[in-house]
Amino acid sequence: MKARSVKLKEAHKNNGVSSFCSVLWDLQAQHLVTSSASDLAISIHDPLLHSKPPNILRHHKDGVTALALSPNSTCLASGSIDHSVKLYRFPGGEFQTNVTRFTLPIRALAFNKSGSMLAAAGDDEGIKLINTIDGSIARVLKGHKGPVTGLAFDPSSEYLASIDSIGTVIYWELCSGKTLHILERIAPDTGSDISVLNVLSWSPDGETLAVPGLRNDVVMYDRDTAEKLFSLRGDHGQPICFLSWSPNGKYMATSSLDRQVLIWDVDQRQDIDRQKFDDWICCMAWKPNGNALALIDVMGKFGVWESAVPSSMKSPTDGASSLQSKNSNGLLLFDEDDQEPSISGSLGDINEDDFGQAEPTSRKRLRKQSEFDEKLDEDSDDELNLLPKVESRKKASRNHKESLDDGNMKLRSVMVPGGPKMQEAFQPGSTPVQAGKRRFLCYNMLGSITTIEYDGYSHIEVDFHDTGSGPRVPSMTDYFGFTMASLNENGSVFANPCKGEKNMSTLMYRPFSSWANNSEWSMRFEAEEVKVVALGIDWVAAITSLNFIRIFSVGGLQKYILSLDGPVVTASGFKDELAIVTHASHCLPSNDQMLEFRVFNISNGTQPMRGRLPLTPGSCLTWFGFSDEGQLSSYDSKGMLRVFTNQYGGSWLPLFSTSKEKKSEENYWVVGLNASKLVCIVCKPPDSFPLVAPKPVLTLLSFSFPLASSDLGADILENEFILNNLHLSQTQKRIEEMAAAGLDTTSLDDEAFNMEAALDRCILRLIAACCNGDKLVRATELVRLLSLEKSVKGAIKLVTALKLPVLAERFNGILEERLLNETMGTTACPNSNIDASLTNEVEAHKFIHVVENKIASESAIPLPSPKFSSPLFSKKEKREESAKVVVEKTPNRTVVVENIKEDANHVQFRPSNPFAKASNNQEKSSLFDSIKKMKKTRPRSPFHKIEFILDAALIDPYIVRIWVLDGQVLGAQPVNRAMYF
């Protein structure tokens, strides 16, 4: 039957040179994409408006040798003679990124069914599997002995088929990266002619692999066994150079070096139509929603063959949608239109079971049992008619647990569809690979490590933000291809993914200074990939794909190997602490990540913290690390910063939210944080991460809790109140830790006292806001939170000035209650702290009796009005002479208590405020010199006659508290010193 000839028009100028060209349809057949190995441009055509000029993409530096379009037609990939693979948004054509770079020209590209993985190959004989979400190399497949010219994922994304220029075909198992079958030299040897490439293609149902044969034919091979099934042989007089299945798998188009294109009825195994062209056709693509075939020849001319299948026969698209939906893990839960594939996510469809564990399958197909399987399916469907139908694979391989009954097997198949993807591991502070551009291996509060790739090697530079304090580190030539790094004051550590024939990963540590020569070292891991690295004060950590934590000394000694109970997500180090985030379980159906964090103290060999890591629903972790003060912190993709605190038994506080800060579509790329500020880089669209050049500008953002909109209208004050409380709690914890270690806490004491004063000032402003807003109950709650007596008196003056006498009376009652509690010693000492001996108690009571008598004898002396204060801290000092205790009554008179105990401890006092420094004069003062002289006028209260309270230390660990009223001793109490610390 004679068909109307197809007219071709020029898309690319090949200057009379035969070159391999490519053509693609998008999912809705609204665009045609063409390229040529002799042209560095990619053209996006409108097939309906022929007069409309194409959209031209010019990002490669040399001819474009390969094209691939994601299944949902949102991402276009291109490979070139310039060795790079690039991604674009489609159909707009905006450049996204360089995902990888080879050492030789690219020849083949292919997306898997979900679009989450891109396979790339070329003249250097290796196949890279690239995760499209972050550009990471998931795996490198080695096995071909010639340039790889064709790639094809099977529709279920279990296998990858590849073919090289010498005609060898390899079946790869994606979950393991192993070769299943190697079919040597079954296709033509194309030699050095780069305008002719061997190709191969899976049938839409995934059952058959079509490969050009040695007899100018097309040979069909079995999916699982790689056995030859049949061939299509007709009137081609020279080898096949391209082949393409129709959308429903009923027809196939083949082109040959004889310049013919034949249309085949695959079931009948005969050609049904043909076309003759001036030059041979090097690429073809069936229209996804119509009876048409797009073609392009080696001279860069393209066209569309309308009605490629005679109208009297079944359309090439009939039944195509059902085939596509069946390839989604064998489930018919929805149509393809309802399931829009995504190019984002983690590693494709490889092993969606927990932690990537796949169940073993048998690959031997039992075709003779197909009728029995169909009958079995019908019987099972009757029993499970309420469940979605499951397509029979007509293979024993899909029924890998034959001991189970068929009904239970089908139920399991229905209930375990492919779920949300678990987050891939990432290195904090690193940016994705950008071929030809410098990128960050590490960027933190100390400095940055950058790298740029040249031909076969990289150039690494280390820079410090403060060039005056950081050492000068010479640049380094990287022959390993490092993709991650960590940096601290002492050195840097680098690692790369598995590479080379032995599939080895490398870890290298490089100190900035050392007394010995050749102090840097490296480790190699075979069949084990480093995922994340971290540095501490005297250790190096690497977390690997085998869920191992490998701890090394800075000299390279292998110290510890620990096992994690889930895949690592990220890690960070600070001094002695190593914090690691892992997957606790598979993702929830709501796409929420289930993460867990652990903190290891490397020097002590302990694990002080462990728990679940909270994330905003629907988000993933984007940064994890320590603040400058050592607070563990995390930041998720929804813009929520959390800090771990010991409050409430260990909790994560939401310290910052970008929802009220950033403008639309801005992205905050976190660098680190200190006590009061978040340090980040603001990235504007289309960038989601910072570029090395121009130098990023750091932005400091104040912490802001995600507070509810208060009826008080004092959100800023409330935020300051919570933040000050947090800082005070952290400082008090550090004081306790330093005191327990026997270290001097004087500077922290002053810092804590200043924090208390700042917190009181904030509370006073909140009280004023409450009074103005008529929230008197809230004001009363706030005054109880004031730390200092002076602040309570200030609150009384404030409400008095605001003419709120009732509130002033309540505040005065709160002050009197506080004074009473301090005076009468109502705060009981914990039983655990009472460990003094009976002898000490007796001596303490003797001292009380002596002081009572002496004070009673001097009761006529006017006493100054004292200041009520908290118990005084004491410090012991041995004396050779008998102790003398001096009680100062007035500037002119003193009371002396002598010979209390031979060789007793003479005691020096610090001020009553535990966070204030002791003065030099107090070192030589007697026991009661620490009692401060105060004004005689005091607020009127039931306790205005109390003249002074003495805190004296007699014998460690006791302090004696004495109450005096109108010259009379009301009582005394020996109190254990430990209650004050």
Side-chain angles (χ1 to χ4, degrees):
M1 180 174 62
K2 182 67 175 176
R4 187 172 61 180
S5 62
V6 179
K7 295 182 179 181
L8 304 181
K9 67 175 183 178
E10 185 178 75
H12 303 274
K13 295 181 179 180
N14 288 0
N15 299 322
V17 179
S18 296
S19 303
F20 183 82
C21 301
S22 303
V23 64
L24 293 173
W25 288 98
D26 70 346
L27 184 63
Q28 302 299 327
Q30 296 178 353
H31 303 88
L32 269 174
V33 188
T34 61
S35 68
S36 170
S38 295
D39 188 357
L40 53 81
I42 301 171
S43 299
I44 302 177
H45 307 267
D46 188 334
L48 300 179
L49 300 176
H50 300 286
S51 59
K52 181 180 179 181
N55 183 14
I56 306 297
L57 311 181
R58 299 181 184 273
H59 294 277
H60 284 288
K61 299 178 181 179
D62 211 330
V64 180
T65 53
L67 293 176
L69 196 58
S70 63
N72 61 354
S73 295
T74 60
C75 180
L76 175 67
S78 64
S80 169
I81 299 175
D82 66 9
H83 312 169
S84 67
V85 177
K86 302 179 185 292
L87 294 183
Y88 313 83
R89 289 189 177 92
F90 193 84
E94 298 87 356
F95 174 73
Q96 284 187 296
T97 184
N98 293 294
V99 290
T100 191
R101 187 174 179 84
F102 285 69
T103 58
L104 293 172
I106 312 298
R107 299 298 175 188
L109 296 172
F111 279 100
N112 68 343
K113 184 175 177 60
S114 68
S116 60
M117 185 189 296
L118 175 68
D123 291 353
D124 63 359
E125 304 175 5
I127 303 171
K128 290 184 180 181
L129 301 183
I130 305 165
N131 192 340
T132 56
I133 186 174
D134 57 5
S136 61
I137 307 300
R139 186 169 281 118
V140 178
L141 308 177
K142 292 281 189 177
H144 284 283
K145 298 179 181 179
V148 181
T149 59
L151 296 170
F153 285 96
D154 83 294
S156 61
S157 292
E158 293 180 27
Y159 305 143
L160 174 71
S162 60
I163 188 172
D164 57 32
S165 61
I166 63 176
T168 298
V169 173
I170 299 181
Y171 283 48
W172 305 89
E173 184 179 52
L174 290 177
C175 64
S176 64
K178 297 179 180 178
T179 57
L180 299 179
H181 307 285
I182 300 178
L183 308 179
E184 294 187 352
R185 301 183 182 274
I186 63 170
D189 187 340
T190 59
S192 59
D193 188 357
I194 59 174
S195 65
V196 180
L197 301 180
N198 276 331
V199 296
L200 73 177
S201 180
W202 291 98
S203 61
D205 62 2
E207 299 294 323
T208 307
L209 179 67
V211 181
L214 298 174
R215 300 181 177 180
N216 306 333
D217 57 352
V218 177
V219 182
M220 306 295 180
Y221 293 90
D222 181 78
R223 164 194 169 86
D224 295 302
T225 65
E227 297 174 351
K228 181 178 178 180
L229 301 178
F230 61 91
S231 63
L232 302 179
R233 188 174 182 183
D235 292 338
H236 280 306
Q238 294 189 47
I240 304 294
C241 58
F242 201 85
L243 54 88
S244 178
W245 291 89
S246 67
N248 61 2
K250 182 175 177 58
Y251 306 104
M252 175 176 284
T254 60
S255 64
S256 168
L257 297 180
D258 62 6
R259 302 178 182 177
Q260 287 191 100
V261 173
L262 270 59
I263 306 297
W264 298 83
D265 185 323
V266 178
D267 293 336
Q268 301 298 323
R269 303 179 190 177
Q270 64 180 17
D271 60 287
I272 56 176
D273 208 345
R274 69 186 63 193
Q275 282 277 357
K276 184 80 172 181
F277 296 89
D278 296 333
D279 296 285
W280 69 77
I281 301 298
C282 55
C283 188
M284 299 176 290
W286 287 88
K287 190 175 184 179
N289 56 5
N291 183 8
L293 182 70
L295 318 96
I296 191 168
D297 64 18
V298 292
M299 304 309 295
K301 294 181 291 185
F302 83 108
V304 177
W305 181 356
E306 299 289 349
S307 300
V309 175
S311 57
S312 59
M313 303 184 69
K314 187 177 180 179
S315 170
T317 60
D318 287 351
S321 60
S322 62
L323 282 175
Q324 293 173 356
S325 60
K326 287 179 181 180
N327 286 325
S328 178
N329 292 331
L331 300 180
L332 287 173
L333 302 180
F334 34 69
D335 292 335
E336 184 70 11
D337 292 339
D338 297 329
Q339 182 192 18
E340 183 175 336
S342 172
I343 66 169
S344 64
S346 59
L347 193 60
D349 296 322
I350 300 178
N351 289 349
E352 294 180 349
D353 291 336
D354 289 355
F355 304 148
Q357 295 179 352
E359 296 182 9
T361 59
S362 171
R363 299 183 180 86
K364 180 66 177 174
R365 174 157 32 190
L366 304 178
R367 289 184 173 274
K368 294 184 179 180
Q369 294 188 3
S370 61
E371 295 181 1
F372 172 76
D373 290 339
E374 290 177 358
K375 180 66 169 62
L376 193 61
D377 285 342
E378 294 175 1
D379 295 341
S380 298
D381 287 341
D382 293 338
E383 297 175 5
L384 300 173
N385 53 8
L386 296 179
L387 297 175
K389 295 183 179 179
V390 181
E391 179 200 13
S392 171
R393 300 288 302 185
K394 300 181 183 180
K395 304 177 188 179
S397 63
R398 297 298 170 264
N399 196 4
H400 50 268
K401 291 186 178 180
E402 298 179 0
S403 60
L404 299 175
D405 64 279
D406 186 66
N408 288 338
M409 187 63 234
K410 278 185 169 287
L411 182 60
R412 184 184 184 280
S413 299
V414 172
M415 299 304 292
V416 190
K421 306 297 187 301
M422 293 193 300
Q423 181 177 354
E424 288 293 314
F426 70 92
Q427 181 71 33
S430 66
T431 57
V433 177
Q434 296 176 286
K437 290 186 179 181
R438 185 171 290 276
R439 75 178 187 96
F440 291 109
L441 293 178
C442 174
Y443 196 113
N444 58 23
M445 297 285 282
L446 183 66
S448 65
I449 302 177
T450 60
T451 181
I452 185 170
E453 183 181 355
Y454 292 105
D455 293 335
Y457 65 92
S458 299
H459 182 75
I460 291 179
E461 293 183 356
V462 179
D463 297 299
F464 291 90
H465 301 317
D466 185 357
T467 57
S469 62
R472 293 185 61 86
V473 182
S475 59
M476 178 180 71
T477 300
D478 170 24
Y479 296 99
F480 296 96
F482 293 127
T483 59
M484 67 192 80
S486 185
L487 171 71
N488 68 5
E489 299 86 349
N490 303 321
S492 55
V493 61
F494 303 87
N496 66 352
C498 290
K499 299 181 70 175
E501 296 181 357
K502 294 185 178 180
N503 202 29
M504 301 186 74
S505 184
T506 302
L507 176 76
M508 187 180 79
Y509 177 71
R510 190 184 186 199
F512 294 145
S513 62
S514 175
W515 59 270
N517 295 327
N518 195 25
S519 55
E520 69 178 41
W521 51 266
S522 62
M523 299 285 171
R524 304 293 294 274
F525 308 100
E526 187 170 353
E528 180 182 4
E529 184 170 276
V530 177
K531 293 293 186 179
V532 186
V533 294
L535 277 179
I537 193 170
D538 58 359
W539 52 265
V540 178
I543 300 89
T544 71
S545 57
L546 298 183
N547 298 343
F548 286 164
I549 308 174
R550 295 184 176 270
I551 307 294
F552 306 86
S553 70
V554 292
L557 176 65
Q558 302 189 53
K559 298 180 67 175
Y560 310 106
I561 302 178
L562 307 176
S563 289
L564 295 171
D565 52 9
V568 66
V569 177
T570 191
S572 182
F574 180 80
K575 295 184 178 178
D576 290 332
E577 293 185 335
L578 168 63
I580 299 177
V581 178
T582 60
H583 286 284
S585 67
H586 200 72
C587 299
L588 297 178
S590 59
N591 203 29
D592 292 337
Q593 303 287 327
M594 302 298 292
L595 305 183
E596 181 182 59
F597 77 96
R598 296 184 183 187
V599 177
F600 299 90
N601 190 299
I602 303 301
S603 61
N604 297 337
T606 59
Q607 182 177 299
M609 289 184 285
R610 179 175 181 175
R612 289 293 179 91
L613 183 69
L615 293 175
T616 306
S619 70
C620 61
L621 185 65
T622 58
W623 181 86
F624 183 76
F626 291 88
S627 69
D628 285 351
E629 294 74 27
Q631 290 294 122
L632 192 60
S633 311
S634 70
Y635 185 82
D636 62 36
S637 58
K638 296 290 186 179
M640 183 66 70
L641 174 72
R642 294 176 174 87
V643 174
F644 186 82
T645 174
N646 288 318
Q647 295 177 345
Y648 299 99
S651 302
W652 288 87
L653 297 184
L655 196 58
F656 176 83
S657 176
T658 60
S659 58
K660 297 181 180 180
E661 295 285 340
K662 70 178 182 179
K663 300 177 182 178
S664 60
E665 298 184 357
E666 279 186 349
N667 179 55
Y668 288 174
W669 196 83
V670 173
V671 176
L673 65 152
N674 55 31
S676 60
K677 299 288 184 179
L678 172 66
V679 183
C680 65
I681 299 171
V682 179
C683 301
K684 297 183 178 180
D687 297 328
S688 58
F689 51 84
L691 303 177
V692 176
K695 188 176 181 179
V697 178
L698 294 179
T699 301
L700 301 181
L701 300 174
S702 298
F703 294 144
S704 59
F705 289 88
L707 299 175
S709 298
S710 172
D711 55 358
L712 195 61
D715 294 350
I716 297 177
L717 287 176
E718 289 177 331
N719 184 80
E720 182 184 348
F721 167 72
I722 300 177
L723 194 60
N724 286 341
N725 259 326
L726 174 62
H727 291 163
L728 182 59
S729 173
Q730 293 171 352
T731 303
Q732 289 173 344
K733 180 178 181 295
R734 289 162 58 195
I735 291 175
E736 293 174 0
E737 293 174 349
M738 292 180 66
L743 302 176
D744 182 27
T745 62
T746 303
S747 60
L748 284 181
D749 289 345
D750 293 341
E751 183 180 343
F753 181 72
N754 292 334
M755 287 182 180
E756 281 189 330
L759 180 60
D760 278 7
R761 289 193 294 270
C762 178
I763 292 175
L764 287 173
R765 293 198 298 271
L766 277 173
I767 291 173
C770 290
C771 293
N772 293 328
D774 199 25
K775 305 296 180 184
L776 304 186
V777 175
R778 198 175 306 174
T780 307
E781 294 172 342
L782 285 167
V783 80
R784 294 183 181 276
L785 301 177
L786 292 169
S787 302
L788 306 175
E789 179 185 339
K790 182 179 179 180
S791 300
V792 180
K793 294 177 182 178
I796 296 173
K797 292 181 180 179
L798 172 66
V799 296
T800 302
L802 294 175
K803 298 181 180 180
L804 296 171
V806 176
L807 193 60
E809 186 64 27
R810 285 189 172 273
F811 284 9
N812 195 61
I814 291 172
L815 175 61
E816 293 172 355
E817 180 183 350
R818 174 178 295 191
L819 295 174
L820 176 62
N821 291 338
E822 293 179 356
T823 303
M824 302 305 295
T826 55
T827 304
C829 178
N831 292 333
S832 60
N833 292 333
I834 301 176
D835 54 0
S837 64
L838 180 61
T839 302
N840 289 346
E841 290 191 42
V842 173
E843 296 295 337
H845 285 288
K846 286 182 180 178
F847 175 73
I848 294 169
H849 181 68
V850 172
V851 174
E852 286 178 348
N853 294 334
K854 292 295 180 181
I855 293 176
S857 66
E858 301 290 334
S859 59
I861 301 175
L863 298 177
S865 181
K867 174 183 177 181
F868 292 91
S869 61
S870 58
L872 305 178
F873 293 107
S874 59
K875 187 182 294 183
K876 298 185 299 181
E877 183 179 293
K878 292 187 177 181
R879 291 172 55 93
E880 297 180 357
E881 300 177 355
S882 300
K884 291 186 178 182
V885 181
V886 181
V887 181
E888 182 175 328
K889 298 293 186 174
T890 67
N892 300 320
R893 296 286 302 276
T894 60
V895 176
V896 179
V897 181
E898 296 180 313
N899 300 323
I900 296 174
K901 189 178 189 298
E902 285 293 322
D903 298 328
N905 294 327
H906 179 69
V907 181
Q908 297 176 357
F909 284 87
R910 286 178 19 182
S912 60
N913 178 12
F915 305 120
K917 294 181 179 179
S919 64
N920 294 332
N921 295 333
Q922 289 173 325
E923 294 181 1
K924 298 180 180 180
S925 65
S926 58
L927 177 63
F928 298 125
D929 284 343
S930 59
I931 302 173
K932 305 295 183 181
K933 298 178 182 180
M934 303 299 296
K935 294 181 180 180
K936 294 183 178 181
T937 58
R938 299 185 54 83
R940 188 168 186 81
S941 74
F943 305 99
H944 70 281
K945 291 184 179 181
I946 295 180
E947 294 171 345
F948 61 89
I949 298 174
L950 305 179
D951 280 345
L954 175 63
I955 300 174
D956 190 60
Y958 275 92
I959 291 175
V960 180
R961 171 173 287 178
I962 305 169
W963 295 274
V964 181
L965 179 62
D966 291 334
Q968 300 297 321
V969 177
L970 299 181
Q973 179 185 15
V975 182
N976 193 298
R977 184 192 307 274
M979 70 174 290
Y980 296 113
F981 293 93

